[in-house]
Amino acid sequence: MKSYLLLNVGLEQCCQTEILELTGATSIVHSSVIETNLDQEQLLATLERSQSARRILSAITQTKDIETIDLKNINFKWSDFFTSSLSFKVEVEGISGNDNRMKIAKNIATQIHHIIEDTQQFMPKIELKKPDLIIIIFFNGENYFLGIDLAGIELNARAYRVFPHQASFKGDLGYYFIKSSLYRKEQKLLIAFCKDGTLAIEAALWCSTKPVRPSNKNSFSLFKFPLYQQLSSSTSIRLPSETVTKNIIAFDESKQNIMACLKNASIAGIKSHITFYQCFLDDLDLKFEAGEFDTIIFQLTSKDEEKINEIYRQTSVLKSKGHLLFVTRKSFDLPISEKFNLIEKGEIKRGDGEYITWLLKKR
């Protein structure tokens, strides 16, 4: 079945690779959208485990002109999703102006009313607060993508972030930074200034067989739809049992942050995969062996940028040819130590802000 995975801008290649790793499925990349075909087993595995997707839709259609679209001419089996007991609403994303969004939503909802009445002989109920079924219309600047939300929730807002840090970010962005560091699962990773633990937890979820969001009959909207009535959590792709290796180390100078990390990791069910330390930056070379880590990630806030010389000094714990990833503000001009080569500089926007990534390789 054709599916649309909606993403935050900049995560397209990351998500395409993730879908291939999770399911073996190939995909087409659009701006902020991955288009792919997934069977039910692959789909449930993606709902449970995707770390980059924001929403996962069962595709209805895509168009360049939403105002003239006629859904009666679309080859889509509405009875696979609609029943007389299910309510629905239409949400519009990527369009500025509430009046514009309301106009589009009303047009699509009216068409669906007529189609369901004609084909299934009942009038579907509209429910704006807690609908059973959400139809998403997403405009990525080029095309409108229409689909039925199979999760019913925004997937990048992780349930484990009960104790968030103001300088941290949602799970999809944390996963993107982990993948940007070129870290591999069998390697040893150090997360510096770990704040609320998002980076470490996303790394551990990727390395483990733990689902990001375990499925049950109440977890995802798709379990309410006729097409998926025989689907259960046992249908998802089963991964082999794992050995906890403790290859992910995270530290912060704040005891309060470490306590938040431990609580969040416990909620995520991944606490046993990460070792958290309260540790000061200038003690790293005392706590760890020289060349102990394959990859180190530093997120630098404005108060951390003045520590850059000490950070470079402490990279004695990084292996030769190891990778060092800095995540910084756009305004920070990172000096590159003579110990390192700059491999790649990237940028990714999130809301009104922008992060810069600096991937370095130790000589």
Side-chain angles (χ1 to χ4, degrees):
M1 174 173 288
K2 183 180 289 188
S3 302
Y4 299 142
L5 280 69
L6 305 188
L7 323 164
N8 281 302
V9 64
L11 272 64
E12 294 87 354
Q13 295 300 326
C14 184
C15 184
Q16 186 179 44
T17 300
E18 181 186 38
I19 293 303
L20 187 62
E21 291 175 350
L22 281 174
T23 69
T26 58
S27 56
I28 300 171
V29 176
H30 309 272
S31 176
S32 300
V33 180
I34 296 294
E35 178 182 342
T36 187
N37 285 285
L38 303 174
D39 62 27
Q40 290 195 2
E41 183 183 71
Q42 293 170 327
L43 189 59
L44 188 54
T46 305
L47 283 165
E48 289 178 342
R49 301 180 184 279
S50 174
Q51 293 174 257
S52 59
R54 182 174 61 80
R55 291 189 186 272
I56 299 176
L57 312 182
S58 181
I60 298 174
T61 190
Q62 57 182 287
T63 181
K64 288 189 176 296
D65 189 355
I66 195 66
E67 294 184 1
T68 61
I69 191 170
D70 185 352
L71 294 182
K72 287 184 178 179
N73 295 326
I74 301 300
N75 182 23
F76 186 78
K77 193 174 180 181
W78 298 93
S79 59
D80 282 343
F81 296 89
F82 278 84
T83 71
S84 59
S85 63
L86 297 183
S87 60
F88 85 103
K89 76 171 180 178
V90 177
E91 288 189 6
V92 180
E93 299 180 351
I95 297 293
S96 60
N98 187 59
D99 289 344
N100 294 329
R101 293 192 296 271
M102 290 293 293
K103 180 181 177 181
I104 293 170
K106 183 177 180 181
N107 174 37
I108 296 301
T110 300
Q111 290 193 50
I112 290 172
H113 260 284
H114 292 322
I115 291 170
I116 301 302
E117 185 179 22
D118 292 344
T119 59
Q120 295 180 248
Q121 287 72 57
F122 67 86
M123 290 286 285
K125 297 173 289 186
I126 291 181
E127 167 59 53
L128 299 181
K129 291 186 177 181
K130 293 184 178 180
D132 298 301
L133 185 155
I134 304 174
I135 292 177
I136 300 292
I137 303 167
F138 174 67
F139 182 59
N140 73 344
E142 298 175 357
N143 290 291
Y144 294 88
F145 294 84
L146 283 71
I148 295 175
D149 191 338
L150 297 177
I153 55 175
E154 291 233 12
L155 300 175
N156 60 326
R158 305 287 196 257
Y160 67 73
R161 294 187 71 235
V162 176
F163 302 92
H165 189 282
Q166 62 181 0
S168 189
F169 26 71
K170 289 187 176 181
D172 60 337
L173 192 55
Y175 174 71
Y176 169 80
F177 292 141
I178 294 298
K179 299 290 279 186
S180 297
S181 74
L182 301 185
Y183 170 65
R184 298 196 300 271
K185 294 182 180 182
E186 70 276 8
Q187 295 180 331
K188 195 162 187 180
L189 171 67
L190 177 64
I191 305 290
F193 305 148
C194 54
K195 299 175 175 64
D196 62 6
T198 294
L199 280 171
I201 293 170
E202 291 300 316
L205 286 169
W206 178 56
C207 292
S208 77
T209 61
K210 281 278 186 181
V212 180
R213 55 198 77 81
S215 63
N216 57 60
K217 66 178 182 179
N218 297 316
S219 57
F220 303 132
S221 297
L222 88 166
F223 290 117
K224 301 177 183 179
F225 307 148
L227 181 62
Y228 302 103
Q229 284 299 301
Q230 304 305 314
L231 191 63
S232 69
S233 59
S234 62
T235 307
S236 177
I237 295 171
R238 299 294 99 190
L239 299 178
S241 59
E242 63 184 331
T243 300
V244 177
T245 58
K246 290 279 190 177
N247 277 344
I248 300 170
I249 311 294
F251 84 89
D252 200 283
E253 297 181 331
S254 163
K255 182 178 180 180
Q256 181 178 352
N257 287 352
I258 292 299
M259 294 302 296
C261 289
L262 289 167
K263 292 175 182 178
N264 289 338
S266 181
I267 293 166
I270 210 76
K271 183 178 177 181
S272 62
H273 293 66
I274 311 167
T275 301
F276 290 104
Y277 291 108
Q278 182 189 2
C279 176
F280 289 97
L281 174 64
D282 54 9
D283 290 334
L284 282 186
D285 57 353
L286 301 176
K287 194 169 192 65
F288 302 108
E289 298 291 333
E292 183 171 342
F293 294 97
D294 300 276
T295 303
I296 301 178
I297 301 176
F298 276 89
Q299 182 199 354
L300 302 184
T301 59
S302 56
K303 69 180 182 63
D304 301 317
E305 290 167 359
E306 63 186 25
K307 303 174 183 177
I308 187 62
N309 290 332
E310 181 62 22
I311 288 172
Y312 278 129
R313 192 180 76 81
Q314 292 295 332
T315 57
S316 61
V317 300
L318 181 65
K319 290 180 180 178
S320 175
K321 310 299 182 184
H323 290 105
L324 174 63
L325 182 75
F326 288 105
V327 180
T328 74
R329 301 178 304 155
K330 185 177 181 180
S331 60
F332 183 55
D333 187 16
L334 179 76
I336 308 300
S337 166
E338 62 182 13
K339 300 177 184 178
F340 290 86
N341 292 321
L342 177 63
I343 304 301
E344 185 177 19
K345 180 181 177 182
E347 59 183 67
I348 186 164
K349 294 182 179 180
R350 183 55 55 93
D352 295 330
E354 190 169 357
Y355 294 97
I356 304 298
T357 58
W358 311 73
L359 181 62
L360 279 61
K361 190 172 185 176
K362 193 173 184 181
R363 292 178 177 175

